[in-house]
């Protein structure tokens, strides 16, 4: 993805720019403090407003080519409605629409006036950062060769300045986030015959080579020998070799790292507890947690914050077959705790528990955060707009939630407690891998909690947020923004 050159110093003149984008409110007023051609621009807008050709309605965007009396090739007008009542959602939606139009044009050097407006409770710094993120992220196109032939017009947009002063650090943060999201989206969009555990391992290795991370990959035989009986029970049904992918980013000296653990099921058929056929194709995004962790590492490589972070990614397919695990099988996890597999479709927790144990044994982390498309129940509980978050350390949960609020990549906390833990009782092992239909997201987290007793831990259930269904079907790149923001805040300045 080609990088936009962002400038943090405000510009009020149109010299050096071929395009200008400005905000207009519902009264047809240009929102701009000291743009040089302000009066001419306002005249144009007033005419369009009177004729009804541009009402300033929230989210509308109109491009004027060679605007009269304004010294640019293109002028983009973006309607933001009643700007006193502007919501985050409306503002960000308008930016997405505007970015699409700018990138589809011949625009090369853009002066951006949209950060002069901020939604309720936000400021122009926030707006500039969101503009940087959304314009950069809008370059993303799914171009994997398996897609076949299609026209791939790369946008010409090369540089962007704002009409307000912006913070260079926030602009870099936004850009790194967009690059991370691109990787996350690409991996989750890729067909499951291409995006295999080996492919994820290779991607991690390439990231390590590019950015100087340490990486190591554990293979099936090794993991069997080490005693990862739970992860291996999921992997045994698949002919495709499983991998445990480990990466270390060292930017914070010798302090204990934060461990990120991502569910990397590259295809979830359900196993012997086979899923119904409808929309089963979407289960290629069951590696959305892994893709998020890799995207976050890409952002870390770009930003180089002063912090230590390790990634541990268990990756496998979940397949039925002659070698597959059966309901009723009892396995011994790396922690020594035994598990009765009552449903082979609850495979995410089976691979995560061994990864969580391995991460703690190997890296002695100060905090552990896992990300997983773990339960359909999370989509039923929360829908597709917020990720679920649960954990054993309220400070950690609050910090991640705050990072999600700041980036509008929101999370909502669900409770944990002994009452739900009791649902995991088994007559034949230390625990069952399912807890019944009631509170499915909570019992899944309760299962993981049994493997993270000694460390501050948070679990993100991203089943509803990592993927967008319907007409614009595809990976969302979430929760990369929240996680990059969180890690950046944890870093020493
Ligand atoms: N990968 C699924 C969860 C999922 C469902 C993610 C829909 C995204 C969209 C997970 O492995 C799974 O199958 N979970 C089961 C758990 C159940 C058997 C306890 C579920 O949610 O039905
Ligand atoms: Mn499953
Ligand atoms: Zn799954």
């Amino acid at each position: 993805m080609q990088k936009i050159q962002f400038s943090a110093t405000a510009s009020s003149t149109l010299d050096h720019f071929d395009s200008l984008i400005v905000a207009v409110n519902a009264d047809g007023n240009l929102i701009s403090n000291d743009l040089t051609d302000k009066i001419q621009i306002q005249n144009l807008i007033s005419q369009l407003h009177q004729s009804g050709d541009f009402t300033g309605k929230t989210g509308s965007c109109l491009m004027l080519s060679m605007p009269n009396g304004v010294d640019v090739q293109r002028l983009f007008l973006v309607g933001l409605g009643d700007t006193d009542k502007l919501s985050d959602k409306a503002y960000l939606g308008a930016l997405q629409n505007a970015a699409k139009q700018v990138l589809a044009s011949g625009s090369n050097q853009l002066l951006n006036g949209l950060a002069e407006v901020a939604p309720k409770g936000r400021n122009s710094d926030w707006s500039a950062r969101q503009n940087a993120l959304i314009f950069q992220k809008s370059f993303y196109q799914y171009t994997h060769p398996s897609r076949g032939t299609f026209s791939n017009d790369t946008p010409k947009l090369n540089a962007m300045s704002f009409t307000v002063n912006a913070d260079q650090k926030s602009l870099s943060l936004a850009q790194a986030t967009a690059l991370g999201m691109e990787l996350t989206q690409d991996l989750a969009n890729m067909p499951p015959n291409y995006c295999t555990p080996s492919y994820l391992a290779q991607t991690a290795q390439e990231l390590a080579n590019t950015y100087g991370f340490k990486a190591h990959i554990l293979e099936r035989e090794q993991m069997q020998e080490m005693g990862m009986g739970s992860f291996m029970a999921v992997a045994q049904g698949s002919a495709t070799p499983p991998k445990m992918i480990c990466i270390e980013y060292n930017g914070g000296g010798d302090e204990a790292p934060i461990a990120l653990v991502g569910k990397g099921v590259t295809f979830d058929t359900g196993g012997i507890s086979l899923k119904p056929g409808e929309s089963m194709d979407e289960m290629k995004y069951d590696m959305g947690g892994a893709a998020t962790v890799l995207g976050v590492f890409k952002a870390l490589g770009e930003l180089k914050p002063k912090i230590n972070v390790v990634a541990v990614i268990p990756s496998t397919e979940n397949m039925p077959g002659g070698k597959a695990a059966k309901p009723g099988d009892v396995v011994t996890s790396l922690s020594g705790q035994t598990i009765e597999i009552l449903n082979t479709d609850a495979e995410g927790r089976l691979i995560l528990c061994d990864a969580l144990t391995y991460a703690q044994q190997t890296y002695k982390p100060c905090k552990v955060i896992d990300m997983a498309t773990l339960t359909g129940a999370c989509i039923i509980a929360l829908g597709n707009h917020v990720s679920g978050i649960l954990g054993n350390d309220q400070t950690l949960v609050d910090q991640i939630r705050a990072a999600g609020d700041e980036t509008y990549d929101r999370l909502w906390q669900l409770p944990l407690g002994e009452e739900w833990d009791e649902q995991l009782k088994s007559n034949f092992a230390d625990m069952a891998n399912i807890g019944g239909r009631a509170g499915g997201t909570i019992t899944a987290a309760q299962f993981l909690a049994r493997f993270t007793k000694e460390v501050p831990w948070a679990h993100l259930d991203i089943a509803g947020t990592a993927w967008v269904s319907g007409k614009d079907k595809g990976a969302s790149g979430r929760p990369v923004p929240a996680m990059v923001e969180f890690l950046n805040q944890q870093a020493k300045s």
Side-chain angles (χ1 to χ4, degrees):
M1 190 158 75
Q2 145 203 347
K3 288 188 197 175
I4 304 175
Q5 300 289 322
F6 291 108
S7 159
T9 323
S11 187
S12 56
T13 69
L14 298 178
D15 311 345
H16 318 298
F17 299 103
D18 57 67
S19 305
L20 169 67
I21 188 162
V22 293
V24 180
N25 69 15
D27 299 329
N29 291 324
L30 168 68
I31 298 168
S32 165
N33 267 328
D34 43 21
L35 206 55
T36 42
D37 285 357
K38 212 168 140 173
I39 296 165
Q40 292 89 318
I41 298 168
Q42 182 60 66
N43 282 340
L44 287 173
I45 296 171
S46 298
Q47 286 168 22
L48 289 163
H49 197 255
Q50 262 158 32
S51 65
D53 290 329
F54 188 77
T55 61
K57 196 179 121 221
T58 316
S60 55
C61 180
L62 182 67
M63 182 181 95
L64 303 176
S65 210
M66 310 290 173
N68 227 334
V70 189
D71 194 19
V72 282
Q73 283 180 41
R74 344 179 158 71
L75 170 62
F76 295 88
L77 306 177
V78 175
L80 290 178
D82 182 352
T83 48
D84 291 337
K85 292 188 185 141
L86 191 61
S87 67
D88 287 353
K89 178 179 182 291
Y91 182 71
L92 298 174
L95 291 190
Q96 260 150 26
N97 187 28
K100 224 184 254 169
Q101 283 210 39
V102 170
L103 264 53
S105 76
S107 185
N108 184 258
Q109 314 271 330
L110 179 70
L111 179 59
N112 186 334
L114 300 177
E116 297 201 37
V117 183
K120 261 191 301 183
R122 309 287 194 182
N123 57 26
S124 65
D125 260 357
W126 186 88
S127 289
R129 178 172 162 190
Q130 289 293 344
N131 272 275
L133 176 68
I134 288 175
F135 275 82
Q136 182 66 70
K137 173 164 94 84
S138 300
F139 276 76
Y140 175 66
Q141 271 188 302
Y142 174 69
T143 58
H144 189 260
S146 63
R147 179 167 179 164
T149 45
F150 73 107
S151 77
N152 179 17
D153 304 322
T154 31
K156 295 192 170 55
L157 186 63
N158 179 45
M160 184 188 299
S161 299
F162 296 93
T163 55
V164 292
N165 278 319
D167 176 34
Q168 185 55 55
K169 278 202 182 131
S170 330
L171 296 178
S172 307
L173 194 57
Q175 188 158 49
T177 304
L179 294 175
M181 290 174 88
E182 176 196 28
L183 176 60
T184 302
Q185 288 175 280
D186 235 13
L187 290 171
N189 283 334
M190 209 174 283
N193 54 329
Y194 290 91
C195 185
T196 58
S198 306
Y199 186 83
L200 290 179
Q202 187 193 321
T203 304
Q205 196 61 63
E206 282 165 13
L207 274 180
N209 295 345
T210 307
Y211 294 109
F213 307 145
K214 265 201 239 165
H216 72 271
I217 317 289
L218 303 182
E219 305 292 335
R220 198 195 297 262
E221 298 66 35
Q222 233 174 324
M223 294 191 280
Q224 241 147 14
E225 224 160 87
M226 291 170 73
M228 296 192 189
S230 185
F231 179 13
M232 290 305 100
V234 178
Q236 74 192 36
S238 174
T240 309
K243 307 277 173 182
M244 182 80 87
I245 304 162
C246 307
I247 324 174
E248 296 163 54
Y249 166 72
N250 189 298
D254 51 14
E255 65 189 26
I258 296 179
L260 304 182
V261 176
K263 173 179 175 183
V265 174
T266 58
F267 197 75
D268 182 10
T269 66
I272 297 297
S273 315
L274 194 65
K275 284 183 181 297
E278 201 193 339
S279 303
M280 206 204 266
D281 64 290
E282 293 195 354
M283 277 303 112
K284 71 176 181 180
Y285 91 90
D286 212 17
M287 33 57 75
T292 300
V293 174
L294 292 171
V296 167
F297 267 69
K298 170 140 193 149
L300 290 173
E302 291 284 322
L303 277 172
K304 308 228 178 299
K306 293 191 175 117
I307 190 171
N308 291 335
V309 190
V310 297
V312 176
I313 299 171
S315 183
T316 180
E317 291 175 341
N318 184 24
M319 299 291 282
K323 291 185 178 169
K326 307 165 289 297
D329 282 2
V330 171
V331 297
T332 305
S333 67
L334 181 61
S335 74
Q337 299 176 89
T338 57
I339 303 161
E340 184 186 17
I341 301 175
L342 289 179
N343 189 322
T344 63
D345 198 11
E347 85 295 345
R349 61 199 79 178
L350 293 175
I351 73 169
L352 287 169
C353 68
D354 280 345
L356 288 166
T357 304
Y358 180 76
Q360 291 168 82
Q361 288 179 352
T362 312
Y363 298 110
K364 309 270 178 279
C366 64
K367 300 176 177 74
V368 178
I369 304 163
D370 78 76
M371 278 144 259
T373 47
L374 202 61
T375 64
C378 193
I379 310 178
I380 304 300
L382 298 175
N384 302 99
H385 309 300
V386 296
S387 304
I389 183 168
L390 308 92
N392 62 12
D393 185 280
Q394 194 56 41
T395 308
L396 178 60
V397 169
D398 287 344
Q399 286 168 338
I400 298 171
R401 279 206 58 200
D405 286 344
E406 176 62 23
T407 50
Y408 203 68
D409 179 10
R410 295 170 301 163
L411 305 107
W412 195 261
Q413 187 179 9
L414 295 172
L416 286 173
E418 291 167 64
E419 293 84 350
W420 290 278
D421 192 62
E422 281 170 13
Q423 290 176 234
L424 296 174
K425 190 177 170 314
S426 159
N427 287 349
F428 303 102
D430 291 332
M431 70 196 89
N433 78 326
I434 52 170
R437 278 171 58 83
T441 303
I442 302 173
T443 52
Q446 211 66 65
F447 180 96
L448 300 176
R450 292 177 176 228
F451 299 85
T452 51
K453 285 195 183 123
E454 261 97 68
V455 67
W457 157 76
H459 158 64
L460 276 52
D461 195 328
I462 59 171
T465 51
W467 187 258
V468 179
S469 296
K471 166 173 86 56
D472 292 322
K473 176 157 145 168
S476 67
R478 291 178 66 184
V480 171
M483 287 312 298
V484 172
E485 170 70 16
F486 167 76
L487 292 173
N488 190 57
Q489 284 188 12
Q490 293 289 306
K492 284 182 277 191
S493 45

